[in-house]
Amino acid sequence: MVSWFKGGAGVFTRLRNIFPDPVLPGHQESMVERQALAVAFGGSAGDEALTRRVHAAQVGAILRLAPYTFFANLFNLVIMFLALAGTFPFWLAMTWAAAVLVVLSFGLRSWWSNLKRPIVAASPRALRAATYHSGILAALWACGPLGVMMTDDPSKFLVIACITTGMICAGGFVLATVPAAAITWVAVIAVSAACTLVVEDTPVTLSILILLATYCLIVIGSVISTSRLFVTRFMVEAELHRRGEVIHLLLNDFEQSSSDWLWETNSAGVLQRASSRFSEVCGLPPEALQGRRLSEMLSGAKDPANGWGVLAELMEHRQAFREHPVPVKIRGEARWWALTGRPAFDERGRFKGYRGVGSDITESRRAQDLVTYMAEHDALTGVGNRNWLLSRAQDAMAEAYAEGTTLSLLMVDLDNFKAINDTRGHPVGDEILNRVAQRFKSVCDGRADLARIGGDEFAVLHLSSCREETERLATQLIEILDQPITTEHGGHAIGATIGIASTPGHAETIEDLMRVADIALYRAKRAGRGRALYFEVEMEREVRERRELENALRYTLERGGLSLAFQPIVSARTGEVVSCEALLRWEDPGFGTVPPSLFVPVAEEAGLIVPIGSWVLQEACRRAMAADPRIDIAVNLSPLQFAAPGLVDTVRQALDASGLPPQRLILEITESVLIQDFGSTATTLAELAALGVRIALDDFGTGYSSLSYLRQYKFDRIKIDKSFVAEIGRGGESIAIISAVIILARSLDMEVTAEGVEFEAQAEMLRLMGCDTLQGYYFGRPAADFPQTVPVTPVRQASA
């Protein structure tokens, strides 16, 4: 028996080559499978410890079925005993039954011992013992078929044949993990059954013998295949375990040399086996991490995108995830992690938890946030930009509709900024914009959303329940700029004009809301700046008409459709014309006579005032050069024209082109020019004076700090505003003011001209007060012809 067992591996390997594997049909054996078959028959796996574990698993698989085997044999024993009753002597039958039970009891005792102390290692000797045990038990059961020879009862023969066939199959199944024991069992019982058939010598004996042989060979082939698969699986698992340990070592090395780390949780989401690298990243010892949930790393960190909530949902549904960003707080510092994980399951498919890799992406996240911030915020002021405003407006509009509130858009334009930016330079302008933005933020903080959408344009989104709240906000935005903005270049007076539109009352989309708010802003500028106006429907009609007027003005300028009119300025002593003022006129075929008060603001807003002013200078100098050389020509300069670069060059070119002596040209500026910027104004005035032209301060007394201007600058002429002249003869303080101005001008060696003289009494009073020259309808209305020097005949019935 022992020698047969030792050579069994080779014999049954050859048998297996004859009969294909019923479990893996067509599968070619690998080296591991061939080695597994040798190990199953008691051979070595090359690793003694692994070999002993495999043999222990083979024997243990048989022992686990020992109770079932005992009761199955007991049942068969009872059936067999009854079938052979009367055939054998009673004492002999009882002796046989007792022998079977004794052998079975050895198996139960081994099962009980294995239950208390499981076998973890076994030698080939244990396999031989199992083979001996199965051989002895099979020999005892073989006595049953042999007993059939002592009976002629066909029914008893059939019962014993069925029991024999069943035991061949069941025994082969139970002993399959130890193929030598299984084959011994099958062979002994099959040989016994074959001998019985030969002795009985029935007509079907040969057929039954062939069926029995075929049946046994199939069982033996199945046993070999099963044992090989059992051992192969065990050896593969052992190899995987070994590789897992290697991988674990490599992963530990990976953690030590990488910025990433490994993490693992159980099925409840609790951290398990925290690695040293993970502990280092968390700033906690490994024992402090054990038992904590992964989500506890949040610890108060802001999670705007609900990264942890999404991660919890993924883990709840057992889904894998890759580089999922989550915020954490480590030692009080807000940081970002990217987590990758997959669910783990045991061999029975039960969820065990998650395993994955983590990495710190704080720096890349900060860089990404910076890029996003720069894409949505103004680089100069730090407030939102146009893109951010459009995105925020969509959310705000949805919020307004949902809550039944009103969303208002305030378009804010800075007054006087362009002139300062052009004259002082962009660095000063940028500093002013930044200061303005900070003041606006102090007003809007917690109440509204602020954005800079253009050069000097800001926009404010305000959700409110009533119009009064938005009006208060607009008023505060205007008032916050009441105090001049001080830079190292001095103080700068900046104002704000605001146009307001609301949804759903004025528009349904953010684009339409911006458009109608711009219209309201435009109307507010026209109304005098420094105020806030809500959009009204008729404003849109006015804008359309103004746009048509602007287009017509462009067309007229391109084709030379503008003209000049000249109003005489006379000597208060002689009445002779000493100079005249050039006044711009526009006759349009479609609009008719358009007054300067209407088209000049349009020209300023459309950027046409500089080319128009240049044409006026050239035309006025040309006409004056062709007229009496004793009459000087006065030309008004718009504040925007004065602030524009190249004014001095434009004046020089006009003088050179016409040949007009510079002393005959008088340039009139208003006090609004002086309000904007002291330094650049003084430079421009000095350069103009260097050309030889004369400078007149127009509309004197109507602005702010007039006396300080006279002390700061050198003017050749002061023109008293017509509002003071109109008060002559009506009482009031106008005479005292005019007298003071004349006295002041003479002390500063300046000529004084009074505007708006319409009556003889006014002219006479101004002569007596010492005014040098007079201008007004009393002496003549503006005319297309250049005036002569002859004394002017007053118009006795002048109209206002």
Side-chain angles (χ1 to χ4, degrees), residues 541-578:
R541 176 184 54 82
E542 293 179 5
V543 168
R544 185 172 58 255
E545 293 176 352
R546 198 170 184 88
R547 189 176 297 111
E548 293 173 355
L549 188 65
E550 177 187 331
N551 293 335
L553 182 57
R554 289 183 184 277
Y555 183 84
T556 299
L557 180 60
E558 291 174 359
R559 285 158 181 76
L562 298 176
S563 61
L564 291 181
F566 303 92
Q567 185 175 27
I569 301 175
V570 303
S571 170
R573 290 178 288 114
T574 64
E576 293 182 349
V577 177
V578 294

mmCIF file of all heavy atoms in Angstrom, residues 541-578:
data_model
loop_
_atom_site.group_PDB
_atom_site.id
_atom_site.type_symbol
_atom_site.label_atom_id
_atom_site.label_comp_id
_atom_site.label_asym_id
_atom_site.label_seq_id
_atom_site.Cartn_x
_atom_site.Cartn_y
_atom_site.Cartn_z
ATOM 1 N N ARG A 541 -36.418 106.480 -25.309
ATOM 2 C CA ARG A 541 -36.729 107.274 -26.501
ATOM 3 C C ARG A 541 -35.735 108.423 -26.635
ATOM 4 O O ARG A 541 -35.243 108.712 -27.737
ATOM 5 C CB ARG A 541 -38.157 107.813 -26.399
ATOM 6 C CG ARG A 541 -38.543 108.746 -27.547
ATOM 7 C CD ARG A 541 -39.926 109.307 -27.338
ATOM 8 N NE ARG A 541 -40.046 109.946 -26.046
ATOM 9 C CZ ARG A 541 -39.633 111.203 -25.784
ATOM 10 N NH1 ARG A 541 -39.032 111.905 -26.730
ATOM 11 N NH2 ARG A 541 -39.793 111.727 -24.593
ATOM 12 N N GLU A 542 -35.402 109.074 -25.532
ATOM 13 C CA GLU A 542 -34.449 110.178 -25.580
ATOM 14 C C GLU A 542 -33.067 109.700 -26.021
ATOM 15 O O GLU A 542 -32.372 110.377 -26.779
ATOM 16 C CB GLU A 542 -34.359 110.850 -24.212
ATOM 17 C CG GLU A 542 -35.646 111.568 -23.794
ATOM 18 C CD GLU A 542 -35.502 112.190 -22.430
ATOM 19 O OE1 GLU A 542 -34.380 112.137 -21.884
ATOM 20 O OE2 GLU A 542 -36.495 112.712 -21.910
ATOM 21 N N VAL A 543 -32.691 108.524 -25.548
ATOM 22 C CA VAL A 543 -31.384 107.982 -25.933
ATOM 23 C C VAL A 543 -31.356 107.704 -27.431
ATOM 24 O O VAL A 543 -30.366 107.962 -28.118
ATOM 25 C CB VAL A 543 -31.076 106.700 -25.134
ATOM 26 C CG1 VAL A 543 -29.882 105.968 -25.721
ATOM 27 C CG2 VAL A 543 -30.805 107.054 -23.680
ATOM 28 N N ARG A 544 -32.445 107.152 -27.930
ATOM 29 C CA ARG A 544 -32.516 106.876 -29.357
ATOM 30 C C ARG A 544 -32.399 108.166 -30.169
ATOM 31 O O ARG A 544 -31.671 108.236 -31.166
ATOM 32 C CB ARG A 544 -33.830 106.172 -29.675
ATOM 33 C CG ARG A 544 -33.937 105.735 -31.136
ATOM 34 C CD ARG A 544 -35.150 104.868 -31.374
ATOM 35 N NE ARG A 544 -36.384 105.533 -31.005
ATOM 36 C CZ ARG A 544 -37.105 105.268 -29.911
ATOM 37 N NH1 ARG A 544 -36.695 104.330 -29.072
ATOM 38 N NH2 ARG A 544 -38.217 105.912 -29.636
ATOM 39 N N GLU A 545 -33.106 109.215 -29.717
ATOM 40 C CA GLU A 545 -33.033 110.489 -30.422
ATOM 41 C C GLU A 545 -31.635 111.091 -30.318
ATOM 42 O O GLU A 545 -31.128 111.670 -31.289
ATOM 43 C CB GLU A 545 -34.064 111.459 -29.841
ATOM 44 C CG GLU A 545 -35.511 111.049 -30.111
ATOM 45 C CD GLU A 545 -36.505 111.986 -29.442
ATOM 46 O OE1 GLU A 545 -36.044 112.852 -28.648
ATOM 47 O OE2 GLU A 545 -37.716 111.855 -29.679
ATOM 48 N N ARG A 546 -31.025 110.940 -29.152
ATOM 49 C CA ARG A 546 -29.679 111.488 -28.974
ATOM 50 C C ARG A 546 -28.674 110.740 -29.851
ATOM 51 O O ARG A 546 -27.732 111.337 -30.373
ATOM 52 C CB ARG A 546 -29.287 111.394 -27.504
ATOM 53 C CG ARG A 546 -28.130 112.304 -27.113
ATOM 54 C CD ARG A 546 -27.982 112.310 -25.618
ATOM 55 N NE ARG A 546 -26.963 113.228 -25.195
ATOM 56 C CZ ARG A 546 -27.143 114.520 -24.939
ATOM 57 N NH1 ARG A 546 -28.341 115.051 -25.118
ATOM 58 N NH2 ARG A 546 -26.151 115.305 -24.539
ATOM 59 N N ARG A 547 -28.881 109.422 -29.994
ATOM 60 C CA ARG A 547 -28.003 108.647 -30.863
ATOM 61 C C ARG A 547 -28.151 109.101 -32.316
ATOM 62 O O ARG A 547 -27.176 109.190 -33.064
ATOM 63 C CB ARG A 547 -28.323 107.166 -30.733
ATOM 64 C CG ARG A 547 -27.318 106.260 -31.438
ATOM 65 C CD ARG A 547 -27.618 104.802 -31.196
ATOM 66 N NE ARG A 547 -27.506 104.445 -29.784
ATOM 67 C CZ ARG A 547 -28.535 104.111 -29.012
ATOM 68 N NH1 ARG A 547 -29.764 104.066 -29.520
ATOM 69 N NH2 ARG A 547 -28.362 103.817 -27.755
ATOM 70 N N GLU A 548 -29.369 109.384 -32.707
ATOM 71 C CA GLU A 548 -29.593 109.886 -34.062
ATOM 72 C C GLU A 548 -28.927 111.245 -34.245
ATOM 73 O O GLU A 548 -28.344 111.541 -35.302
ATOM 74 C CB GLU A 548 -31.096 110.000 -34.326
ATOM 75 C CG GLU A 548 -31.817 108.653 -34.375
ATOM 76 C CD GLU A 548 -33.317 108.814 -34.478
ATOM 77 O OE1 GLU A 548 -33.785 109.976 -34.418
ATOM 78 O OE2 GLU A 548 -34.026 107.795 -34.606
ATOM 79 N N LEU A 549 -28.983 112.070 -33.188
ATOM 80 C CA LEU A 549 -28.333 113.378 -33.246
ATOM 81 C C LEU A 549 -26.816 113.221 -33.351
ATOM 82 O O LEU A 549 -26.154 113.952 -34.109
ATOM 83 C CB LEU A 549 -28.703 114.199 -32.009
ATOM 84 C CG LEU A 549 -28.266 115.661 -32.001
ATOM 85 C CD1 LEU A 549 -28.983 116.450 -33.096
ATOM 86 C CD2 LEU A 549 -28.541 116.291 -30.635
ATOM 87 N N GLU A 550 -26.279 112.263 -32.616
ATOM 88 C CA GLU A 550 -24.838 112.017 -32.672
ATOM 89 C C GLU A 550 -24.412 111.577 -34.066
ATOM 90 O O GLU A 550 -23.396 112.040 -34.592
ATOM 91 C CB GLU A 550 -24.468 110.942 -31.648
ATOM 92 C CG GLU A 550 -22.996 110.549 -31.682
ATOM 93 C CD GLU A 550 -22.686 109.380 -30.775
ATOM 94 O OE1 GLU A 550 -23.395 109.224 -29.753
ATOM 95 O OE2 GLU A 550 -21.744 108.616 -31.089
ATOM 96 N N ASN A 551 -25.183 110.666 -34.678
ATOM 97 C CA ASN A 551 -24.856 110.215 -36.028
ATOM 98 C C ASN A 551 -24.901 111.365 -37.030
ATOM 99 O O ASN A 551 -24.051 111.477 -37.923
ATOM 100 C CB ASN A 551 -25.829 109.116 -36.449
ATOM 101 C CG ASN A 551 -25.648 107.846 -35.627
ATOM 102 O OD1 ASN A 551 -24.562 107.599 -35.096
ATOM 103 N ND2 ASN A 551 -26.697 107.053 -35.514
ATOM 104 N N ALA A 552 -25.910 112.235 -36.860
ATOM 105 C CA ALA A 552 -26.015 113.384 -37.759
ATOM 106 C C ALA A 552 -24.834 114.330 -37.563
ATOM 107 O O ALA A 552 -24.309 114.915 -38.524
ATOM 108 C CB ALA A 552 -27.334 114.111 -37.517
ATOM 109 N N LEU A 553 -24.399 114.499 -36.300
ATOM 110 C CA LEU A 553 -23.267 115.383 -36.015
ATOM 111 C C LEU A 553 -21.983 114.828 -36.639
ATOM 112 O O LEU A 553 -21.176 115.591 -37.194
ATOM 113 C CB LEU A 553 -23.100 115.549 -34.509
ATOM 114 C CG LEU A 553 -21.980 116.477 -34.034
ATOM 115 C CD1 LEU A 553 -22.148 117.886 -34.610
ATOM 116 C CD2 LEU A 553 -21.929 116.518 -32.502
ATOM 117 N N ARG A 554 -21.775 113.533 -36.555
ATOM 118 C CA ARG A 554 -20.606 112.916 -37.184
ATOM 119 C C ARG A 554 -20.638 113.168 -38.704
ATOM 120 O O ARG A 554 -19.621 113.503 -39.312
ATOM 121 C CB ARG A 554 -20.583 111.415 -36.902
ATOM 122 C CG ARG A 554 -20.272 111.043 -35.471
ATOM 123 C CD ARG A 554 -20.205 109.537 -35.302
ATOM 124 N NE ARG A 554 -19.996 109.146 -33.924
ATOM 125 C CZ ARG A 554 -18.805 109.097 -33.319
ATOM 126 N NH1 ARG A 554 -17.712 109.396 -34.014
ATOM 127 N NH2 ARG A 554 -18.700 108.758 -32.053
ATOM 128 N N TYR A 555 -21.797 112.973 -39.280
ATOM 129 C CA TYR A 555 -21.943 113.174 -40.724
ATOM 130 C C TYR A 555 -21.631 114.626 -41.096
ATOM 131 O O TYR A 555 -20.927 114.904 -42.081
ATOM 132 C CB TYR A 555 -23.362 112.801 -41.137
ATOM 133 C CG TYR A 555 -23.631 112.903 -42.611
ATOM 134 C CD1 TYR A 555 -23.315 111.859 -43.474
ATOM 135 C CD2 TYR A 555 -24.209 114.057 -43.146
ATOM 136 C CE1 TYR A 555 -23.565 111.956 -44.829
ATOM 137 C CE2 TYR A 555 -24.455 114.162 -44.496
ATOM 138 C CZ TYR A 555 -24.127 113.109 -45.342
ATOM 139 O OH TYR A 555 -24.371 113.223 -46.690
ATOM 140 N N THR A 556 -22.152 115.555 -40.281
ATOM 141 C CA THR A 556 -21.928 116.986 -40.553
ATOM 142 C C THR A 556 -20.450 117.339 -40.412
ATOM 143 O O THR A 556 -19.899 118.097 -41.225
ATOM 144 C CB THR A 556 -22.762 117.841 -39.592
ATOM 145 O OG1 THR A 556 -24.146 117.548 -39.800
ATOM 146 C CG2 THR A 556 -22.515 119.325 -39.817
ATOM 147 N N LEU A 557 -19.787 116.802 -39.368
ATOM 148 C CA LEU A 557 -18.374 117.104 -39.143
ATOM 149 C C LEU A 557 -17.529 116.586 -40.302
ATOM 150 O O LEU A 557 -16.587 117.258 -40.747
ATOM 151 C CB LEU A 557 -17.921 116.492 -37.816
ATOM 152 C CG LEU A 557 -16.459 116.728 -37.428
ATOM 153 C CD1 LEU A 557 -16.163 118.213 -37.292
ATOM 154 C CD2 LEU A 557 -16.130 115.986 -36.125
ATOM 155 N N GLU A 558 -17.844 115.408 -40.804
ATOM 156 C CA GLU A 558 -17.075 114.840 -41.908
ATOM 157 C C GLU A 558 -17.218 115.661 -43.189
ATOM 158 O O GLU A 558 -16.275 115.723 -43.995
ATOM 159 C CB GLU A 558 -17.539 113.399 -42.152
ATOM 160 C CG GLU A 558 -17.171 112.439 -41.030
ATOM 161 C CD GLU A 558 -17.791 111.066 -41.249
ATOM 162 O OE1 GLU A 558 -18.505 110.904 -42.265
ATOM 163 O OE2 GLU A 558 -17.575 110.169 -40.399
ATOM 164 N N ARG A 559 -18.379 116.293 -43.363
ATOM 165 C CA ARG A 559 -18.647 117.010 -44.619
ATOM 166 C C ARG A 559 -18.577 118.529 -44.456
ATOM 167 O O ARG A 559 -19.006 119.273 -45.343
ATOM 168 C CB ARG A 559 -20.018 116.594 -45.166
ATOM 169 C CG ARG A 559 -19.965 115.207 -45.773
ATOM 170 C CD ARG A 559 -21.315 114.547 -45.828
ATOM 171 N NE ARG A 559 -21.208 113.198 -46.410
ATOM 172 C CZ ARG A 559 -20.727 112.154 -45.763
ATOM 173 N NH1 ARG A 559 -20.304 112.310 -44.530
ATOM 174 N NH2 ARG A 559 -20.654 110.970 -46.360
ATOM 175 N N GLY A 560 -18.081 118.998 -43.333
ATOM 176 C CA GLY A 560 -17.887 120.435 -43.136
ATOM 177 C C GLY A 560 -19.189 121.206 -43.037
ATOM 178 O O GLY A 560 -19.295 122.308 -43.604
ATOM 179 N N GLY A 561 -20.162 120.692 -42.325
ATOM 180 C CA GLY A 561 -21.458 121.351 -42.223
ATOM 181 C C GLY A 561 -21.589 122.301 -41.057
ATOM 182 O O GLY A 561 -22.653 122.916 -40.881
ATOM 183 N N LEU A 562 -20.547 122.458 -40.243
ATOM 184 C CA LEU A 562 -20.599 123.397 -39.120
ATOM 185 C C LEU A 562 -20.174 124.789 -39.584
ATOM 186 O O LEU A 562 -19.472 124.952 -40.592
ATOM 187 C CB LEU A 562 -19.685 122.913 -37.999
ATOM 188 C CG LEU A 562 -20.036 121.559 -37.364
ATOM 189 C CD1 LEU A 562 -18.979 121.161 -36.340
ATOM 190 C CD2 LEU A 562 -21.422 121.596 -36.721
ATOM 191 N N SER A 563 -20.579 125.789 -38.812
ATOM 192 C CA SER A 563 -20.232 127.175 -39.162
ATOM 193 C C SER A 563 -19.977 127.963 -37.883
ATOM 194 O O SER A 563 -20.266 127.487 -36.779
ATOM 195 C CB SER A 563 -21.362 127.823 -39.958
ATOM 196 O OG SER A 563 -22.558 127.861 -39.192
ATOM 197 N N LEU A 564 -19.441 129.200 -38.080
ATOM 198 C CA LEU A 564 -19.155 130.079 -36.952
ATOM 199 C C LEU A 564 -19.983 131.343 -37.049
ATOM 200 O O LEU A 564 -20.275 131.843 -38.143
ATOM 201 C CB LEU A 564 -17.674 130.447 -36.913
ATOM 202 C CG LEU A 564 -16.671 129.337 -36.576
ATOM 203 C CD1 LEU A 564 -15.252 129.915 -36.563
ATOM 204 C CD2 LEU A 564 -16.995 128.709 -35.226
ATOM 205 N N ALA A 565 -20.367 131.829 -35.881
ATOM 206 C CA ALA A 565 -20.989 133.159 -35.767
ATOM 207 C C ALA A 565 -20.128 133.980 -34.827
ATOM 208 O O ALA A 565 -19.435 133.426 -33.958
ATOM 209 C CB ALA A 565 -22.418 133.042 -35.257
ATOM 210 N N PHE A 566 -20.138 135.318 -35.040
ATOM 211 C CA PHE A 566 -19.249 136.192 -34.287
ATOM 212 C C PHE A 566 -20.069 137.252 -33.557
ATOM 213 O O PHE A 566 -20.878 137.955 -34.167
ATOM 214 C CB PHE A 566 -18.237 136.848 -35.219
ATOM 215 C CG PHE A 566 -17.423 135.851 -36.007
ATOM 216 C CD1 PHE A 566 -17.822 135.434 -37.273
ATOM 217 C CD2 PHE A 566 -16.259 135.317 -35.472
ATOM 218 C CE1 PHE A 566 -17.091 134.532 -37.991
ATOM 219 C CE2 PHE A 566 -15.514 134.402 -36.202
ATOM 220 C CZ PHE A 566 -15.926 133.997 -37.465
ATOM 221 N N GLN A 567 -19.864 137.343 -32.212
ATOM 222 C CA GLN A 567 -20.545 138.356 -31.413
ATOM 223 C C GLN A 567 -19.532 139.417 -30.998
ATOM 224 O O GLN A 567 -18.478 139.086 -30.449
ATOM 225 C CB GLN A 567 -21.199 137.735 -30.184
ATOM 226 C CG GLN A 567 -22.039 138.743 -29.380
ATOM 227 C CD GLN A 567 -22.784 138.090 -28.230
ATOM 228 O OE1 GLN A 567 -22.359 137.078 -27.723
ATOM 229 N NE2 GLN A 567 -23.898 138.670 -27.839
ATOM 230 N N PRO A 568 -19.844 140.692 -31.267
ATOM 231 C CA PRO A 568 -18.874 141.771 -30.979
ATOM 232 C C PRO A 568 -18.680 141.985 -29.487
ATOM 233 O O PRO A 568 -19.598 141.811 -28.686
ATOM 234 C CB PRO A 568 -19.494 142.978 -31.649
ATOM 235 C CG PRO A 568 -20.948 142.692 -31.706
ATOM 236 C CD PRO A 568 -21.078 141.227 -31.892
ATOM 237 N N ILE A 569 -17.474 142.392 -29.128
ATOM 238 C CA ILE A 569 -17.125 142.826 -27.774
ATOM 239 C C ILE A 569 -16.593 144.244 -27.925
ATOM 240 O O ILE A 569 -15.612 144.472 -28.649
ATOM 241 C CB ILE A 569 -16.067 141.912 -27.146
ATOM 242 C CG1 ILE A 569 -16.576 140.462 -27.070
ATOM 243 C CG2 ILE A 569 -15.676 142.395 -25.756
ATOM 244 C CD1 ILE A 569 -15.536 139.469 -26.575
ATOM 245 N N VAL A 570 -17.260 145.215 -27.281
ATOM 246 C CA VAL A 570 -16.955 146.632 -27.505
ATOM 247 C C VAL A 570 -16.214 147.226 -26.326
ATOM 248 O O VAL A 570 -16.294 146.736 -25.201
ATOM 249 C CB VAL A 570 -18.250 147.419 -27.768
ATOM 250 C CG1 VAL A 570 -19.010 146.830 -28.953
ATOM 251 C CG2 VAL A 570 -19.134 147.444 -26.529
ATOM 252 N N SER A 571 -15.531 148.339 -26.624
ATOM 253 C CA SER A 571 -14.862 149.108 -25.574
ATOM 254 C C SER A 571 -15.911 149.865 -24.789
ATOM 255 O O SER A 571 -16.798 150.507 -25.369
ATOM 256 C CB SER A 571 -13.840 150.064 -26.173
ATOM 257 O OG SER A 571 -13.354 150.951 -25.202
ATOM 258 N N ALA A 572 -15.827 149.778 -23.465
ATOM 259 C CA ALA A 572 -16.803 150.483 -22.626
ATOM 260 C C ALA A 572 -16.658 151.988 -22.760
ATOM 261 O O ALA A 572 -17.619 152.738 -22.554
ATOM 262 C CB ALA A 572 -16.629 150.062 -21.167
ATOM 263 N N ARG A 573 -15.495 152.542 -23.173
ATOM 264 C CA ARG A 573 -15.272 153.987 -23.264
ATOM 265 C C ARG A 573 -15.642 154.531 -24.622
ATOM 266 O O ARG A 573 -16.294 155.555 -24.744
ATOM 267 C CB ARG A 573 -13.809 154.292 -22.947
ATOM 268 C CG ARG A 573 -13.481 154.051 -21.474
ATOM 269 C CD ARG A 573 -12.016 154.297 -21.137
ATOM 270 N NE ARG A 573 -11.161 153.219 -21.691
ATOM 271 C CZ ARG A 573 -10.280 153.412 -22.644
ATOM 272 N NH1 ARG A 573 -10.087 154.598 -23.141
ATOM 273 N NH2 ARG A 573 -9.554 152.397 -23.093
ATOM 274 N N THR A 574 -15.275 153.812 -25.703
ATOM 275 C CA THR A 574 -15.489 154.368 -27.044
ATOM 276 C C THR A 574 -16.644 153.720 -27.788
ATOM 277 O O THR A 574 -17.141 154.275 -28.773
ATOM 278 C CB THR A 574 -14.213 154.185 -27.877
ATOM 279 O OG1 THR A 574 -13.970 152.777 -28.060
ATOM 280 C CG2 THR A 574 -13.009 154.787 -27.167
ATOM 281 N N GLY A 575 -17.029 152.531 -27.379
ATOM 282 C CA GLY A 575 -18.092 151.824 -28.089
ATOM 283 C C GLY A 575 -17.617 151.117 -29.331
ATOM 284 O O GLY A 575 -18.423 150.509 -30.050
ATOM 285 N N GLU A 576 -16.320 151.189 -29.655
ATOM 286 C CA GLU A 576 -15.797 150.512 -30.835
ATOM 287 C C GLU A 576 -15.591 149.021 -30.550
ATOM 288 O O GLU A 576 -15.301 148.614 -29.421
ATOM 289 C CB GLU A 576 -14.470 151.142 -31.254
ATOM 290 C CG GLU A 576 -14.600 152.550 -31.764
ATOM 291 C CD GLU A 576 -13.270 153.116 -32.213
ATOM 292 O OE1 GLU A 576 -12.227 152.452 -31.914
ATOM 293 O OE2 GLU A 576 -13.245 154.168 -32.849
ATOM 294 N N VAL A 577 -15.717 148.235 -31.615
ATOM 295 C CA VAL A 577 -15.486 146.788 -31.495
ATOM 296 C C VAL A 577 -13.988 146.543 -31.370
ATOM 297 O O VAL A 577 -13.217 146.911 -32.258
ATOM 298 C CB VAL A 577 -16.056 146.033 -32.712
ATOM 299 C CG1 VAL A 577 -15.740 144.542 -32.600
ATOM 300 C CG2 VAL A 577 -17.544 146.266 -32.834
ATOM 301 N N VAL A 578 -13.585 145.897 -30.276
ATOM 302 C CA VAL A 578 -12.164 145.610 -30.067
ATOM 303 C C VAL A 578 -11.855 144.123 -30.219
ATOM 304 O O VAL A 578 -10.700 143.742 -30.451
ATOM 305 C CB VAL A 578 -11.709 146.100 -28.680
ATOM 306 C CG1 VAL A 578 -11.779 147.618 -28.600
ATOM 307 C CG2 VAL A 578 -12.547 145.460 -27.573
#
